[in-house]
Structure formats: structure tokens, C-alpha cells
Amino acid sequence: MNAPTRLAEPIADPLLIAGRAYRSRLLIGTGKYRDFDETRRAVEASGAEIVTVAIRRTNIGQNANEPSLLDALPPSRYVMLPNTAGCYSAEDAVRTLRLARELLDGHDLVKLEVLGDPNTLYPNVMETLKAAETLVRDGFKVMVYTSDDPIVAKQLEDIGCVAVMPLASLIGSGMGILNPWNLQLIIGNAKVPVVVDAGVGTASDAAVAMELGCDAVLMNTAVAKAQNPVLMAQAMKKAVEAGREAFLAGRMPKKLYSANPSSPSAGLISPKAA
Amino acid sequence: MILPSRHWRFKVIQLSVNGQMQRVDSDANLARLLEALELSGKRLAVERNGEIVPRSQYANTRLAEGDALEIVVAVGGG
């Protein structure tokens, strides 16, 4: 006898991106791991449902049987988020994502990033805006990497991007959240999900981003270049969950320079004179 | 007496694949090129002279002298 069909449980507090609900608020990159097995184990430990991938020229005439990333992370199990890492112009970014859409059988959720210079990998917002316009017109659902400028973030949202993804600090730097004030301005103004993308170094950074009210965090190097990537992936999962819950719970107001005991002041065995 | 070369009937054309020059028979199509490069059946995408070639069209896509092909796959990245 067949087991009764279990309906999918509704997701409490889902992350909504382009009309789809996700359980995990951690998006994870697949670069810089030792091998595909480590990639797979780290992604599993992170609980991420959305994973970023890069699009690159295939090797011609050498090692035809090399393993493929998509064997380790099947698109049937994970939502692929192809990126435009390494693109320095709107045109290159658009071409790359059109190739990605063909590669992934029409999949249209993408991560747009157009870089400004190879030292900082800081986004070129002019080219990013241009590419976003073309891609949205072309039917893509664009999650967009950008600076932490609240005006640009709003413009990208107005163009029709499905998520804005400001940096916390430079890509791969692990410097943490440099400007929580700007992130809060962006969060306060946005009607689409705000995803901190880039700069997270360790679990507390991810928790802080979520406590600020970010909808999700995207990271790669913080996990891949940890001494133990799989353990760090697990830590990041907890940090994102903890930060989200703290945000939803609403923190206590800060009382600067004024302590307040948690235990009763009355009933002490040697009461202090008032 | 000058004998015709073995490939007399096949003109050879040159095109660029991922930035490398490749020589193929002038009657070659994209599906046959991918086969020759041992890429058939792999999950990839092809752009020809800036335009995406849908997978269903590989066998119908004739290659021409000077074509610029990009053949890409998904790799690890953030």
C-alpha cells in the first residue's frame, strides 16, 4: 500500500523571490572549493536552496570527461542562479546570461553583476543599470549586485529587478558589514527583497545583516575559504536563522550607560540603604 | 601532372571556437563540430556570431568561414 501523499508543508516566514517561496535565507556560491565533493557537502550543510554558478568557455580538445558542477549540484534539486562574474560591460553581462538561459533550459532567474575594476571588483552601477534594463525587457528575473547606494538600489528596483543585492564590503574580502546605515536605508525603501551579497567573513556578519532586516544573505568565500568549509556552512545556516529570528522578535531598546538588574531588587539578605 | 588532393571535394573553412582557430569541412554543421570536439550530449550553450543557437537547431546550423562560436558550461562561482 502506498503511503498517503504528504502535501508540502507551508513554509513559515518564507523568502519570496519572483513569486517563489524559499525556506532558506542563505544563498551560496559554488566557487573556490577544493573539489565538487566539498562543494556539494558545503552546500548541503548550508541548507541553501539557491546556488550561484558562473558561465565559462568549455575546454576544447582536452579532458573531455572532466566532471561537471551540475552533476554535483543537480538543477532538479537546487535553483541555479547563473552570474555574470567577470563581466565589465552591460553587453558582456547580457550575452553571458542569454547563454546561461539556454544552458539551463530557459531558466530565467539570474544574478547580474557588472564590475568596475579588477582590484576592488566594485560594481559599475551605470553599466549595471543598462544591463538590468535590457535583461528585464528580455524577460529575465534579475537579482542584482550593486553598491550600497540607496538611490541606485531604488533605481534598480524601479527598472524591475526582483531583488537588490548591495555589498556589505568588497567581494571575497571577508571584511564584514562596513556600512550598516546605508543597508538600513536600502532596506527601509525597498519593496523587493534585499540580499546582502559580498563581504561576509564569518557567522556573526551574517547574523548582523539579518538583524538589520535584510531578507537574505549571499556568500561564497566566507564558506569556501574557511578552514573547514562544511562546518562554516552549517554555522552560516544557524547565523542566518538566528539573525532572522532576532529581527522578527524585535530587539530590546538600548539603554546607554544605564544598567538595569534582571533579578529583583527587593528581598536581598542584606538590603542596601536606599 | 598535378593530382587533386584527397580533400578536393571538401573545401576547408576556418572559424573561431572559444577564441581558438578551428578548421572544419565547409559542409559541417554545428552538431558535427560538437561531436568532433567530444562535446555532444554535454550540458552547454552555444553562441554563434553573438546570437544564441538553440539546442534543437545544432544539426540545422551550417558553419561559415569566419564564424565566431562561444561554447560555455556552468562552473563554480559566486
Side-chain angles (χ1 to χ4, degrees):
Chain A
M1 204 175 95
N2 289 334
T5 310
R6 268 190 71 200
L7 294 173
E9 279 172 44
I11 303 172
D13 184 35
L15 167 67
L16 292 169
I17 297 176
R20 179 160 171 184
Y22 299 90
R23 229 172 226 103
S24 170
R25 290 174 179 271
L26 174 55
L27 287 67
I28 201 158
T30 57
K32 299 183 182 168
Y33 291 92
R34 260 187 289 272
D35 51 37
F36 287 150
D37 184 57
E38 188 180 74
T39 315
R40 182 186 55 75
R41 287 184 296 123
V43 170
E44 255 170 36
S46 76
E49 295 161 280
I50 301 177
V51 299
T52 62
V53 298
I55 303 299
R56 290 291 179 271
R57 285 172 163 175
T58 188
N59 284 332
I60 299 292
Q62 41 177 314
N63 204 2
N65 289 318
E66 71 187 334
S68 148
L69 174 70
L70 298 184
D71 294 333
L73 299 172
S76 54
R77 178 149 174 221
Y78 295 99
V79 172
M80 294 290 142
L81 189 63
N83 71 24
T84 59
C87 290
Y88 288 84
S89 69
E91 193 200 338
D92 281 351
V94 169
R95 277 176 72 196
T96 299
L97 291 177
R98 285 181 177 149
L99 280 163
R101 182 166 60 182
E102 170 64 19
L103 179 74
L104 296 168
D105 306 316
H107 173 79
D108 53 12
L109 185 71
V110 296
K111 170 177 163 178
L112 170 65
E113 56 182 301
V114 186
L115 304 176
D117 89 85
N119 295 323
T120 62
L121 302 179
Y122 210 80
N124 178 333
V125 295
M126 303 291 282
E127 290 293 303
T128 304
L129 287 160
K130 238 166 55 184
E133 272 176 7
T134 307
L135 290 167
V136 168
R137 215 182 311 124
D138 206 5
F140 285 94
K141 296 177 180 122
V142 181
M143 301 177 70
V144 59
Y145 171 64
T146 183
S147 67
D148 60 9
D149 179 331
I151 306 303
V152 174
K154 196 67 197 170
Q155 287 173 331
L156 288 164
E157 177 182 333
D158 290 344
I159 286 170
C161 293
V162 299
V164 292
M165 307 204 290
L167 50 76
S169 49
L170 302 183
I171 293 173
S173 71
M175 289 168 72
I177 294 164
L178 299 189
N179 196 338
W181 309 103
N182 271 32
L183 290 179
Q184 262 172 321
L185 277 174
I186 293 172
I187 293 161
N189 275 324
K191 293 192 181 65
V192 294
V194 176
V195 181
V196 153
D197 180 4
V200 164
T202 187
S204 52
D205 297 334
V208 169
M210 295 307 293
E211 286 172 9
L212 288 173
C214 288
D215 295 278
V217 181
L218 196 167
M219 66 180 74
N220 187 342
T221 313
V223 172
K225 288 298 165 194
Q227 299 303 307
N228 182 337
V230 178
L231 190 57
M232 186 58 90
Q234 198 177 302
M236 290 298 185
K237 175 178 196 264
K238 292 173 183 164
V240 167
E241 286 170 2
R244 177 64 183 175
E245 285 176 12
F247 170 74
L248 292 176
R251 62 152 297 147
M252 62 165 278
K254 280 184 186 168
K255 287 203 238 14
L256 297 180
Y257 312 115
S258 139
N260 189 342
S262 299
S263 306
S265 309
L268 288 163
I269 55 170
S270 77
K272 255 191 168 170
Chain B
M1 195 172 86
I2 299 168
L3 292 168
S5 89
R6 274 201 301 139
H7 300 294
W8 181 255
R9 287 187 304 127
F10 302 110
K11 217 177 112 199
V12 170
I13 55 173
Q14 275 201 42
L15 41 81
S16 149
V17 180
N18 291 354
Q20 294 173 29
M21 285 321 260
Q22 298 276 340
R23 293 159 69 85
V24 299
D25 290 343
S26 60
D27 64 342
N29 63 41
L30 182 54
R32 276 175 50 194
L33 175 69
L34 292 174
E35 211 173 294
L37 297 172
E38 296 181 47
L39 294 171
S40 301
K42 292 211 187 301
R43 193 186 263 275
L44 45 78
V46 181
E47 185 196 67
R48 176 179 177 238
N49 303 329
E51 299 288 330
I52 300 292
V53 184
R55 204 164 302 158
S56 57
Q57 293 304 309
Y58 290 170
N60 302 327
T61 302
R62 288 286 298 269
L63 300 172
E65 175 78 27
D67 272 356
L69 299 176
E70 294 291 341
I71 307 176
V72 300
V73 292
V75 302

